[in-house]
Amino acid sequence: MTVIIIGAGIGGLCLAQNLKKNGINVQVFERDASANQRLQGYRLHLDADGILAIKESLPEKLFQLFELTSTNPLPYTTILDTELKLSKRFPIDSYSKTEHHVETGIAKHLNVNRATLREILLMGLEDICHFGAKFDHYKTDESGVTAFFEDGRTVKGDMLVGADGAGSVVRKQRAPEATFMDSGARAIYGRIKIDEAQKVLPSLCIADVFTAVSDVRKLILGVGPIIFPVRPELASQSIGIDKTLNPQHDYVGCIVSGRKDFFGSNDAEIRKKTSDELQQLAIDLLSSWPSEASSVPAVGEKGSFFYIEMTSSIPFNLQPHPNVTLLGDAIHTMTPSLGRGANVALRDSTILSKALMKVVNGEKELATSLKEYETEMTEYGFNVVRHSAEMGTKLLGQDPLPN
């Protein structure tokens, strides 16, 4: 079997690692010119779905590297008032709707630096991961599927996986009936060096998975720590891996989010703003708060701030296809209110890997196995989309999903 993966994000790379580990021929194609072309975010919260998927997919040494560079926070989501005084502290599995992990005894939580995780997932895939490959469309016939790229190249395989994110080109052809909605929420992301964060934030903010400060308008200041047990640039050497990860420093991820009305200009105008201008906008948004909280964005790293428009998929019935499927944000984009998007994408990758192994082992036909994967993937994924929208509506004033 030859599998074509479109998209070298977290989910697509985890799938590629799993397939390679199990002896399945796989090729990954990414539209970006390099892994570092776009800033895609900072801190990621991983729950049992994500952690188990990574453990199952990576070779032992790379999983050790993942553990060495992952933060072990206290398993709480904490709510503070605008004077940074404690309001509520929730067990993270209760907040994130992952009580089923507790019930099955697999609950675990890590904070990871997204760029470092992606570097680890790329290790060993250098010869099969092709950057600067802008996917255009696919064609299928009785012998498989052919992927066509904007530069004129074509690649033939037995099946194709769209792991190309919320703007998925694969999905537009595979599931044209899929619809997405503007959630009505916006956010400015940045980060704060750990020594500066410790000066302005309570200790819980440096210890817990995530801490949110909220006002009556549902304007949120959120922070979450990344404290490396071992510096990424030193970690690989400590366990005998030749390739060195890029240097990183400890920090606290910072987000200011709320209804798009608070952000003033239209999205096109805000996208033109520089990082420094976005940092100033974040400061201005919190200017009516007591100084304890309003001063937090001001100590952020210069050049680290960027803007996102939060969208959500609208759950629908995905029709089966014999040899083209989807995973992660390409099918079930969700707002980040529960911190579960990457986890569900990683979970998708392991379910799909197991489905393909059944085909390779002669247990099932490809079309049958893909249909079963999609049934489980959409049921679980869209359920998390709904929960994320419910929490986003409650905390951020996000627009609810249509009935």
Side-chain angles (χ1 to χ4, degrees), residues 73-109:
L74 298 178
Y76 296 98
T77 295
T78 301
I79 308 297
L80 306 180
D81 64 21
T82 55
E83 294 181 342
L84 301 187
K85 294 178 181 177
L86 181 64
S87 294
K88 295 180 182 178
R89 200 174 185 217
F90 301 94
I92 184 68
D93 287 294
S94 173
Y95 174 85
S96 297
K97 309 293 184 184
T98 48
E99 295 95 338
H100 54 290
H101 292 162
V102 178
E103 293 165 3
T104 53
I106 61 171
K108 188 174 181 182
H109 298 273

Side-chain angles (χ1 to χ4, degrees), residues 2 4 19 21 66-67 80 93 113 117 126 133-134 136 178 196 215 220 241 255 281 286 304 324 356 392:
T2 297
I4 301 168
L19 297 181
K21 186 177 180 180
F66 162 75
E67 289 188 305
L80 306 180
D93 287 294
N113 185 51
L117 173 59
E126 293 83 359
K134 296 182 179 180
D136 187 74
E196 294 297 328
D215 67 12
I220 300 277
I241 295 177
I255 175 175
L281 177 55
L286 305 185
S304 71
V324 178
L356 296 182

Side-chain angles (χ1 to χ4, degrees), residues 105-123:
I106 61 171
K108 188 174 181 182
H109 298 273
L110 297 172
N111 282 355
V112 300
N113 185 51
R114 179 190 285 268
T116 302
L117 173 59
R118 196 175 184 212
E119 279 188 272
I120 294 170
L121 289 172
L122 277 164
M123 285 185 172

Side-chain angles (χ1 to χ4, degrees), residues 41 87 182 208 238 262 314 320 334 358 397:
S87 294
D182 180 350
D208 291 353
S238 70
F262 299 146
I314 299 175
M334 60 195 71
K358 291 178 182 178

Side-chain angles (χ1 to χ4, degrees), residues 48 50 113 125 138 216 247 249:
N113 185 51
L125 303 182
Y138 64 81
V216 294
H249 59 74

Side-chain angles (χ1 to χ4, degrees), residues 2 28 110 157 165 208 288 380 403:
T2 297
V28 183
L110 297 172
D208 291 353
S288 64
Y380 190 88
N403 291 329

Side-chain angles (χ1 to χ4, degrees), residues 42-45 69-74 76 110-113 191-194 197-198 201-211 222-228 249-254:
Y42 301 118
R43 182 202 68 106
L44 280 178
H45 159 238
T69 55
S70 296
T71 304
N72 285 276
L74 298 178
Y76 296 98
L110 297 172
N111 282 355
V112 300
N113 185 51
R191 65 182 188 177
I192 306 168
K193 289 184 179 180
I194 195 68
Q198 289 169 336
L201 292 171
S203 58
L204 286 179
C205 297
I206 315 295
D208 291 353
V209 170
F210 187 73
T211 302
V223 293
I226 291 292
I227 301 174
F228 297 101
H249 59 74
D250 297 343
Y251 66 89
V252 171
C254 171

